[in-house]
Amino acid sequence: MGITALFVILLVILIFLVSYIPNLTFRKKIFIVIAALLVCFAVLAFLFATQFGGGREPVQNETLEIKK
């Protein structure tokens, strides 16, 4: 849910920023927005792939022995 909101906010900001650039056709503006979103998606995918599970050791079930 949070990632979807992040992409929507990023999309709106990119559209506003690209719309103020003069001397670009509509097709080039759309291409810039799509390319920027794909780069952001790739970075997020890389971060999720490397941080989740990275550096953690597997959980081991250790049994405690009670000495009498």
Side-chain angles (χ1 to χ4, degrees):
M1 197 70 173
I3 296 174
T4 305
L6 178 70
F7 275 111
V8 170
I9 292 169
L10 185 65
L11 178 67
V12 171
I13 291 172
L14 281 172
I15 289 172
F16 279 121
L17 289 177
V18 171
S19 67
Y20 287 116
I21 299 175
N23 300 331
L24 285 180
T25 63
F26 184 70
R27 182 178 291 173
K28 286 183 182 179
K29 290 180 182 182
I30 295 296
F31 178 73
I32 289 171
V33 170
I34 291 173
L37 287 176
L38 286 176
V39 167
C40 289
F41 182 72
V43 168
L44 279 175
F46 178 74
L47 288 176
F48 277 118
T50 56
Q51 287 187 357
F52 287 123
R56 290 188 196 168
E57 296 182 11
V59 177
Q60 297 176 357
N61 291 332
E62 296 180 10
T63 58
L64 297 176
E65 295 181 14
I66 301 174
K67 295 182 179 179
K68 292 185 180 181

